Amino acid sequence: MNKLTRRLSGVIPPVVIARHEDGTLDSASYRRNLERLIDAKVHGLFILGSSGEGAFVTDSERLQILRETADVVAGRLPVLVGCIETQTAKVIEAVKVAEDNGADAVVVTAPFYALGGEAQVEQHFRLIHAATSLPVYAYDIPVCVQAKLGADMLIRLGQEGVLAGVKDSSGDDVEFRFLAQKNEAAGHPLLLFTGHEVVVDGAYLSGADGSVPGLANVDPDAYVRQWDAYQAGDWETVRAEQNRLADLMLIASQATSVTGFGAGVGSFKVALRLLGVFESATMPDPVPQLTPEEVDAIRVVLVAAGLLE
């Protein structure tokens, strides 16, 4: 069992899953993307998150993804594993599987489906922490779990060692700023990561420890350059990289036949196929692939960003 012992920071892409046209996992494409991300000098990998279809994969697919990731990474980078399940007991089962297959940390949401309020959310995190020796990161994604994680609860759990950090995909940048300020005032017990592709510069200005942007699957080098500039205090470069990445994120808005997950992750998969990383842009059923017209529009954005000729 591996355990993350050093302070985690930097760019940690939520790795997109590759599938063949028949929907089965495409190991060759997935491994190619992992190597590409490692070559770009990202600082960690987040697998089986939202971009990594963590809520959709079958048990056998989960195990295959865990094993292939461990085989490719071979200890070169920290691997954070999403354990996204409806209730505590199921999360703990997923955590045990992650523990047995090379995870350095786990990332868990609030329980969902049977909603119970903040007291139950807090107990959920406490029980998961008690069941594992791995660092536990809270995944704040209220659009999917119908619960916004409160800053005071997160800070308290950080101070007690229950939570190691937070991956914030709430879309609430005001609350993220308040969380960052409270975290700093409390002595920085939590490591804070933004999951938003187009406001990473603002999160860094707030004091974030890193970013977990799905768009880093498409252009990991740009996010690494931005992080390096942040570390050097070069805010002009931080902003310039962010402006370029905001333009690149327009790939998601080219998808008009689907919304949400299908548009965002669907556009990432199309981009990876156009870049020659993935053989297919297949999404998990029942999400359709993007139309030829949408693919052409994404190609235009990639050309404008200098990623394709």
Side-chain angles (χ1 to χ4, degrees):
M1 182 190 305
N2 295 321
K3 185 171 182 178
L4 193 62
T5 56
R6 63 182 174 81
R7 185 178 177 88
L8 186 65
S9 63
V11 179
I12 305 172
V15 185
V16 173
I17 298 303
R19 295 183 180 274
H20 295 294
E21 290 187 358
D22 65 1
T24 57
L25 295 179
D26 178 355
S27 297
S29 292
Y30 180 65
R31 287 170 174 262
R32 187 159 50 241
N33 193 38
L34 287 174
E35 289 288 4
R36 175 172 166 269
L37 294 171
I38 293 169
D39 288 345
K41 299 187 182 341
V42 301
H43 306 92
L45 298 168
F46 175 32
I47 67 168
L48 295 168
S50 299
S51 295
E53 301 174 23
F56 313 131
V57 294
T58 65
D59 289 345
S60 60
E61 287 176 335
R62 172 180 291 275
L63 189 56
Q64 181 179 341
I65 291 163
L66 284 165
R67 288 175 173 172
E68 290 188 357
T69 303
D71 183 54
V72 172
V73 176
R76 289 180 285 174
L77 291 177
V79 175
L80 287 70
V81 177
C83 297
I84 303 172
E85 291 287 356
T86 52
Q87 293 298 107
T88 308
K90 297 184 73 175
V91 174
I92 290 173
E93 284 188 349
V95 168
K96 296 301 183 184
V97 174
E99 279 183 342
D100 292 340
N101 289 276
D104 294 295
V106 293
V107 185
V108 301
T109 70
F112 53 98
Y113 190 80
L115 305 178
E118 184 167 277
Q120 290 186 24
V121 172
E122 181 169 341
Q123 179 67 355
H124 173 72
F125 287 127
R126 290 185 182 280
L127 290 170
I128 293 166
H129 167 70
T132 181
S133 62
L134 295 178
V136 178
Y137 286 77
Y139 190 174
D140 193 7
I141 185 165
V143 69
C144 293
V145 303
Q146 307 306 309
K148 176 75 178 76
L149 302 180
D152 291 340
M153 177 192 70
L154 293 170
I155 298 295
R156 181 168 61 252
L157 294 178
Q159 289 174 318
E160 294 180 22
V162 173
L163 292 177
V166 179
K167 192 259 185 177
D168 184 274
S169 294
S170 67
D172 191 336
D173 298 320
V174 173
E175 285 302 315
F176 184 83
R177 182 60 175 259
F178 287 146
L179 173 62
Q181 286 182 288
K182 289 182 177 182
N183 191 49
E184 202 60 34
H188 211 108
L190 295 167
L191 298 174
L192 302 182
F193 296 85
T194 180
H196 284 239
E197 286 84 359
V198 298
V199 294
V200 175
D201 53 348
Y204 288 166
L205 190 62
S206 298
D209 296 283
S211 60
V212 189
L215 190 63
N217 285 275
V218 180
D219 193 351
D221 298 285
Y223 282 104
V224 172
R225 289 195 302 267
Q226 184 187 43
W227 171 259
D228 290 343
Y230 168 42
Q231 295 304 289
D234 181 1
W235 288 100
E236 284 302 314
T237 298
V238 171
R239 183 178 64 173
E241 291 288 358
Q242 187 64 81
N243 286 340
R244 178 183 167 279
L245 287 163
D247 287 339
L248 180 59
M249 190 60 189
L250 292 175
I251 59 173
S253 64
Q254 307 312 306
T256 56
S257 62
V258 292
T259 59
F261 171 77
V265 177
S267 70
F268 298 159
K269 289 196 179 190
V270 167
L272 288 168
R273 181 172 68 78
L274 292 172
L275 293 170
V277 182
F278 280 10
E279 292 184 5
S280 162
T282 301
M283 296 289 285
D285 288 332
V287 183
Q289 292 196 61
L290 301 189
T291 67
E293 293 77 17
E294 291 167 335
V295 172
D296 287 342
I298 289 171
R299 186 192 307 273
V300 170
V301 176
L302 294 176
V303 170
L307 296 178
L308 277 180
E309 295 183 356

